[in-house]
Amino acid sequence: MRKNVLQLVVIAFIFLAQKSFAQELYMPRNIKEAYAKGTRSMDGKPGKNYWQNHGKYTIALQVNASTKIVSGTETIVYENNSNDTLKNLRIRFVNNIHKKNASRAVENSDDFFTDGLTITALKIEGIVYKEDAKNWGTVGIVKMKKPLPPHSKMTIDMDWNYPLSKLSGREGQIDNTTFFVAYSYPRVSVFDDYNKWDNLPHTSGQEFYNDFNDYTYSVKAPKNYVVYGTGDLLNQDEVLQPEFASRLKKSYTTDEVVHIANEQEMKSGLVTKQNEWNVWKFEAKNITDVCFGLSDHYLWDAGSVVVDKKTNRRASIQAAYDVTGTDFVNSIKNNQYALDWFSNNWPGIPYPFSKMTAFQGFADMEYPMMCNDSQMGDPVFAQLVQDHEVAHTYFPFYMGINETRYAFMDEGWATTFEYLIGIAEHGKEAADKFYKEFRVQQYISDPSTEEDQPIITMSSQLSDSGYGNNSYGKASLSYLALKDLLGDDLFKKSLHAYMENWNGKHPIPWDYFNSMNTASGKNLNWFFNNWFFTNNYIDISVKSVEKNTVSVANTGGFAIPFDVKVVYLDDSKETVHQTPAVWESNQKLATITLNSKKKIKSIALDGGIFMDATPANNTFISK
C-alpha cells in the first residue's frame, strides 16, 4: 500500500511541480506510470531508468523450392534488462496469420491458408519443452519451468518449420520458383516499460513492433537460386561464381548501375556455385527484423551511393526483378537518388544501414534494408511507392516504433517524406496533385465521417478507412502543418532532436510531443492537442470581410495553414500566408488584417494540400 501511495506522490510531483509540457495532454494511466518510474522523461528524452530488452539471434534457414517449406534451427540469447521477473515467455510468429483459426482483419482465399508453425524441438536454458504450437495464433505462450530474473540472460534453442503461403502478399510464393520469406522465424515478443508483454495478435490489418536485435543468419537454397537478404552478405565468394562475385564487389564502390546477372546468365546456371545446395550467410546488428527473397530467374542489378558525406560511407543498392518487371529497370538510379535525398534533405539523417534492395513481389511493403513492391506498369507511381517504402527506413526501423498501436508514428512520416521527395523529383504541382488525390481526397470526402477519430486512437482499434485516414493522410498533414508553423530550420532541428533521443529505442507519441516541445523551445501542446486528441477535420470558411479585415471561421477545427488570396477592385492581387499559429489563441476564429487599404473585389481561402470539406464557402465576392 505504501509503495502505491509513494508512486502517486511521484506522479503528482512530476505533473504539477515540474509544470511539464505534457501535463495538458491526455495520457493513459500506463503511460503516466512509465513517466513516474523514470523510464521516460518530460523533456522528451529516455528517462534515467529507461531500459529495453535485447536478443542475439543465430538462425540457420533452409528453403525447399519443391515442397515450399521453410525450416530453421534457431538460437536466441535473450537479455532481460527490466526489473521484472519473466515467468512466461511470449513467442511471436507472424506467419501464423495463415492458419484458419488465427485472427484476421480481412477476408482471404483458400490459397492464403496454411497449417502454420510446427515446432519440432524447444529448449530453454537446456531444459526440454514439449511445446505443441498447433493451437498458437500469432502469439504463443510458453510457461517457463525456470523464471528469468531481472538483468539476466537465457538461451532459447528451437527447431521449426512452416509452409510458404501460395498466395503472396507481405510474404509467400511470388511465382513457382520465387519466394519472399519475411516474418520467417519465431521471435521473442517485445516486453517494454509501458505495456509489459506485447500480446496483441497480428491480424494482417496492423503492422509490427519488434525489439532491436543482433542477427547472424544463413539461408540454404538450391543451386541457381540467388538469395537477397537484410544485412551484409558475408560469403559471396562461396556462393557465387567468380565473375559474378566480382561484379557484386564492384557495385559496392561505384555509382554505376552494374548488371550483376541478366536473364540468360540466370537461365544458363552461370551465376551461383553449382553445389546441390548453397548456404548464403548474412549479418545485421541492432536492427528490428531480417527477411530475404530468393529466385532462380530474377534479374539482378546493383550499385551504391554515398549516404554520409562526412565519412564517405556508401550504401549498397540492389534490385531483383522478373524480366517483365519494367518498373524495376530504373530501381538502382531511383533508389540512389532516394537514399541521397533522404540523407541530406528530409529527414536529413544519413541512411543508417548498409544496403537497400528492391524485390519485385506483391506487397508494396517495407522491411529493414528491403522492400517488396509490385509491378504496376507505371514507372512514376512505382518510384513514389519505392520512395515511401525506403522512407520507412527511418520510421519504424531507425526509430523502434510500435506500429501495431501507433501506426501514425511511422506511416505518417513515410507519407510526409514521400511527398517532400516527390516535390524534388517531379515538381510541386505534380507532388501536390498526387498527394491530394492519393492521401487526402479519400479522407476528406469520406461520407462515413464517424471515422473522424482522434489520431491518437490506437491503430489496433481501427480498421479500413478509419485506420488508413489516421495512419497516413491525417498524420502526415499534422507533420506538414507543424513544419509550416515552425519553419524549416526549427522544424528540422526539433525533428533531429527527437530522432537523436530515440533512434534504436522505442518512442511513443508523448516522447515525440515532448521532444518537439523541448527542442523548439515552444509549448506546442495546443497544436498537438488540436491535431492528435480531437475529432477535428479540415473545414474553414470566410465568415466576414470588413474593409481590410478578414474573419475566417474554423468549423472543422484542425489548425491548418492556408493562403488568403485577395483580388482588389483595381485587379491587383495579393497572397497572404497564414501558418497554423493563427489558430493558437482561438481555434475557431481567426482575424487577418491586410496591409493594403484598397477596396476588395474578392477573397479566396486556399489550403493547398489541406483540402477543405466544403470548399464552396471559402470565397467572398464583393457586391
Side-chain angles (χ1 to χ4, degrees):
M1 184 67 182
R2 180 189 177 94
K3 182 180 177 181
N4 290 338
V5 170
L6 286 173
Q7 209 170 70
L8 289 171
V9 171
V10 170
I11 292 173
F13 177 79
I14 288 173
F15 284 90
L16 296 176
Q18 285 191 359
K19 295 184 179 179
S20 151
F21 280 133
Q23 70 183 38
E24 303 167 19
L25 299 177
Y26 163 76
M27 190 180 284
R29 287 168 288 171
N30 60 318
I31 305 300
K32 286 181 182 178
E33 188 176 351
Y35 282 93
K37 288 180 176 179
T39 56
R40 294 168 193 269
S41 173
M42 295 301 182
D43 63 3
K45 296 179 181 179
K48 63 180 181 179
N49 298 324
Y50 181 79
W51 56 267
Q52 64 193 48
N53 289 350
H54 179 268
K56 185 175 181 180
Y57 286 69
T58 304
I59 315 171
L61 300 108
Q62 179 173 332
V63 180
N64 189 314
S66 299
T67 64
K68 313 301 191 281
I69 298 291
V70 179
S71 55
T73 296
E74 177 177 2
T75 296
I76 308 168
V77 178
Y78 183 71
E79 188 172 358
N80 176 19
N81 295 315
S82 77
N83 292 323
D84 293 67
T85 296
L86 305 184
K87 298 179 180 180
N88 297 318
L89 186 65
R90 302 301 195 278
I91 299 291
R92 183 171 293 275
F93 187 67
V94 170
N95 265 290
N96 268 356
I97 193 70
H98 294 283
K99 292 175 65 173
K100 288 188 175 181
N101 65 331
S103 301
R104 268 180 302 279
V106 296
E107 294 181 0
N108 297 103
S109 68
D110 287 344
D111 285 344
F112 178 84
F113 296 109
T114 73
D115 291 334
L117 178 69
T118 298
I119 295 176
T120 54
L122 174 62
K123 289 193 296 184
I124 303 176
E125 284 295 285
I127 301 173
V128 176
Y129 286 72
K130 300 291 185 183
E131 197 65 38
D132 186 354
K134 287 181 180 178
N135 294 320
W136 281 13
T138 52
V139 182
I141 301 176
V142 177
K143 295 182 178 179
M144 293 193 292
K145 299 173 183 177
K146 182 182 178 183
L148 179 64
H151 310 290
S152 61
K153 299 179 182 179
M154 67 180 174
T155 300
I156 305 162
D157 295 292
M158 200 177 332
D159 296 346
W160 46 264
N161 62 75
Y162 76 96
L164 286 165
S165 170
K166 187 175 181 179
L167 181 67
S168 177
R170 288 173 172 171
E171 35 66 37
Q173 301 177 42
I174 307 299
D175 61 42
N176 197 44
T177 58
T178 303
F179 318 110
F180 196 80
V181 187
Y183 326 114
S184 60
Y185 57 96
R187 64 185 304 143
V188 181
S189 196
V190 176
F191 185 85
D192 63 31
D193 66 305
Y194 65 92
N195 200 52
K196 304 303 182 183
W197 281 115
D198 177 26
N199 289 320
L200 287 175
H202 177 68
T203 64
S204 75
Q206 285 77 41
E207 295 188 14
F208 310 98
Y209 181 37
N210 298 319
D211 276 322
F212 286 86
N213 300 311
D214 296 334
Y215 292 90
T216 301
Y217 72 100
S218 64
V219 180
K220 187 177 180 181
K223 66 181 179 181
N224 298 326
Y225 277 78
V226 174
V227 180
Y228 312 85
T230 300
D232 298 321
L233 177 61
L234 303 178
N235 66 331
Q236 55 208 4
D237 292 320
E238 295 177 14
V239 294
L240 294 171
Q241 299 282 8
E243 171 61 24
F244 299 91
S246 177
R247 293 179 192 176
L248 181 59
K249 291 173 187 175
K250 178 186 175 183
S251 76
Y252 295 151
T253 62
T254 181
D255 291 342
E256 296 175 28
V257 177
V258 179
H259 300 292
I260 308 291
N262 62 32
E263 180 186 14
Q264 190 55 47
E265 289 166 336
M266 290 297 295
K267 284 182 178 177
S268 301
L270 299 173
V271 179
T272 74
K273 290 290 181 70
Q274 292 301 290
N275 306 309
E276 184 179 358
W277 295 86
N278 290 308
V279 178
W280 300 67
K281 298 176 182 178
F282 297 88
E283 184 177 68
K285 293 187 176 180
N286 194 37
I287 201 163
T288 57
D289 203 0
V290 294
C291 66
F292 61 94
L294 65 161
S295 178
D296 67 352
H297 62 277
Y298 266 22
L299 284 64
W300 185 6
D301 295 343
S304 61
V305 65
V306 173
V307 292
D308 189 340
K309 292 179 179 177
K310 290 183 180 178
T311 64
N312 252 0
R313 177 173 62 86
R314 282 183 171 269
S316 171
I317 297 174
Q318 301 184 32
Y321 57 99
D322 189 74
V323 68
T324 63
T326 54
D327 287 349
F328 293 82
V329 171
N330 294 318
S331 279
I332 302 302
K333 284 295 182 186
N334 288 346
N335 283 337
Q336 283 175 322
Y337 183 88
L339 264 63
D340 175 78
W341 197 91
F342 289 140
S343 297
N344 294 293
N345 294 278
W346 295 103
I349 300 286
Y351 180 79
F353 303 127
S354 60
K355 183 196 294 183
M356 171 52 68
T357 301
F359 191 92
Q360 182 182 343
F362 298 108
D364 304 323
M365 182 69 189
E366 75 279 358
Y367 312 80
M369 301 195 215
M370 295 193 77
C371 54
N372 169 6
D373 287 338
S374 49
Q375 163 69 15
M376 300 176 182
D378 181 346
V380 173
F381 188 64
Q383 181 182 18
L384 182 138
V385 170
Q386 286 193 24
D387 286 345
H388 180 96
E389 309 313 342
V390 172
H392 272 300
T393 292
Y394 297 97
F395 302 86
F397 302 135
Y398 183 70
M399 313 281 285
I401 303 301
N402 186 339
E403 299 175 273
T404 311
R405 290 174 180 265
Y406 304 119
F408 61 86
M409 293 184 72
D410 76 300
E411 294 295 357
W413 282 112
T415 301
T416 298
F417 298 148
E418 156 210 307
Y419 168 66
L420 295 174
I421 195 176
I423 295 173
E425 291 167 341
H426 306 294
K428 190 171 187 304
E429 184 179 349
D432 283 5
K433 183 176 184 292
F434 179 86
Y435 187 89
K436 287 194 285 188
E437 290 178 354
F438 195 58
R439 298 302 189 189
V440 188
Q441 181 71 58
Q442 179 181 348
Y443 147 59
I444 203 64
S445 301
D446 192 337
S448 300
T449 52
E450 298 94 331
E451 291 168 355
D452 283 335
Q453 297 298 312
I455 297 175
I456 200 71
T457 306
M458 277 177 52
S459 304
S460 55
Q461 296 174 346
L462 298 168
S463 61
D464 301 323
S465 295
Y467 176 92
N469 294 342
N470 271 13
S471 303
Y472 293 81
K474 284 167 63 177
S476 175
L477 288 168
S478 83
Y479 302 139
L480 291 168
L482 186 57
K483 179 174 177 286
D484 190 273
L485 172 64
L486 296 178
D488 283 3
D489 291 344
L490 185 55
F491 180 73
K492 182 172 283 189
K493 172 180 177 282
S494 304
L495 175 60
H496 283 190
Y498 167 49
M499 296 178 75
E500 287 163 10
N501 287 342
W502 289 97
N503 81 81
K505 300 180 177 66
H506 292 310
I508 55 178
W510 293 267
D511 300 316
Y512 163 66
F513 304 143
N514 294 337
S515 289
M516 299 300 279
N517 278 334
T518 299
S520 69
K522 297 178 181 293
N523 188 338
L524 298 167
N525 280 357
W526 73 270
F527 178 88
F528 295 134
N529 188 70
N530 175 282
W531 270 96
F532 289 87
F533 295 89
T534 70
N535 299 83
N536 287 343
Y537 60 103
I538 304 172
D539 188 6
I540 60 176
S541 62
V542 179
K543 184 175 183 181
S544 65
V545 177
E546 296 182 12
K547 296 183 180 181
N548 68 331
T549 301
V550 182
S551 293
V552 179
N554 193 346
T555 304
F558 270 146
I560 66 165
F562 62 95
D563 288 338
V564 181
K565 295 185 173 182
V566 188
V567 179
Y568 295 102
L569 203 57
D570 63 2
D571 288 330
S572 61
K573 297 178 181 179
E574 181 183 9
T575 297
V576 181
H577 182 70
Q578 300 297 308
T579 79
V582 75
W583 304 111
E584 182 172 1
S585 60
N586 185 339
Q587 294 180 26
K588 289 299 183 182
L589 185 68
T591 301
I592 298 139
T593 302
L594 305 176
N595 292 324
S596 176
K597 303 294 186 181
K598 293 189 291 188
K599 289 186 177 180
I600 296 169
K601 179 190 285 188
S602 67
I603 297 279
L605 307 179
D606 184 1
I609 59 173
F610 293 82
M611 296 179 68
D612 201 283
T614 55
N617 57 15
N618 287 14
T619 57
F620 162 85
I621 299 175
S622 179
K623 295 179 181 178

